[in-house]
Amino acid sequence: MDCPEYTTVMLPARIAVGIERRTCNADGRCLQDIPACWQEFLATNAAARIHHRIIPPVMYAVYSDYTSDWTGEYSYLLGCGVTNAATQKKGLSVRHIPAQKYAVFHARGPMPDAVVGVWGGIWGSDLPRKYSCDFEVYDSRFTDKKNPEVDICVGIRDI
């Protein structure tokens, strides 16, 4: 399978705070865990409990702590970008997204299908992934009713 079109960018470090789940693609748990994470985040108004949110607000979905590759277990955190993670409420997790080289993809169109489609292309490709930390960016473009857009940033090795 061909990899979807992307650009290669060195991105700065950032911090996300939110709700986290441990999941896996290969056994299908992600099909329940990721939507459940979104539902909990929205139903409990988790964003309001997160201190030091960046302005303008940005949500991140962070994939980290991979046991192997995309077929192994990983941690999924849905949360907000913050300027400081030192004083967060109980029940929230912190993820430090490292500064590194990323392949940046753009998922455009009906959500979540557009995001899932891009990930499917990434999984089936020979992209030189690091499997350290990947993330999705949900900013003001995500709320565009006519053409929502999400950036998918995948950590890659130098080749």
Side-chain angles (χ1 to χ4, degrees):
M1 178 184 285
D2 290 332
C3 188
E5 187 176 316
Y6 65 91
T7 56
T8 302
V9 183
M10 184 68 171
L11 293 177
R14 52 194 82 194
I15 306 169
V17 173
I19 296 171
E20 187 173 37
R21 297 251 191 313
R22 191 88 180 139
T23 193
C24 182
N25 297 330
D27 64 8
R29 276 186 290 150
C30 64
L31 299 174
Q32 288 79 42
D33 293 339
I34 291 174
C37 198
W38 276 87
Q39 183 169 4
E40 180 183 350
F41 188 87
L42 297 172
T44 64
N45 196 17
R49 298 186 334 224
I50 298 172
H51 297 285
H52 311 294
R53 287 177 297 189
I54 60 174
I55 304 294
V58 175
M59 285 180 56
Y60 294 111
V62 183
Y63 302 76
S64 61
D65 299 324
Y66 289 92
T67 57
S68 58
D69 58 16
W70 69 274
T71 63
E73 284 195 348
Y74 57 90
S75 294
Y76 177 87
L77 177 135
L78 180 64
C80 297
V82 299
T83 57
N84 180 336
T87 57
Q88 296 300 328
K89 301 249 180 176
K90 184 177 179 181
L92 296 173
S93 298
V94 176
R95 274 287 165 256
H96 292 269
I97 301 170
Q100 65 179 358
K101 186 188 287 187
Y102 290 91
V104 179
F105 300 83
H106 303 288
R108 294 180 183 97
M111 300 292 168
D113 295 343
V115 170
V116 171
V118 170
W119 274 114
I122 294 167
W123 296 331
S125 76
D126 60 357
L127 187 70
R129 294 182 62 187
K130 287 181 88 170
Y131 293 102
S132 58
C133 185
D134 307 315
F135 63 98
E136 299 161 359
V137 180
Y138 293 87
D139 57 18
S140 62
R141 298 168 301 150
F142 175 64
T143 60
D144 183 325
K145 300 229 184 286
K146 292 183 181 175
N147 192 29
E149 184 175 342
V150 171
D151 289 341
I152 300 173
C153 305
V154 178
I156 57 174
R157 298 184 310 268
D158 288 325
I159 52 171

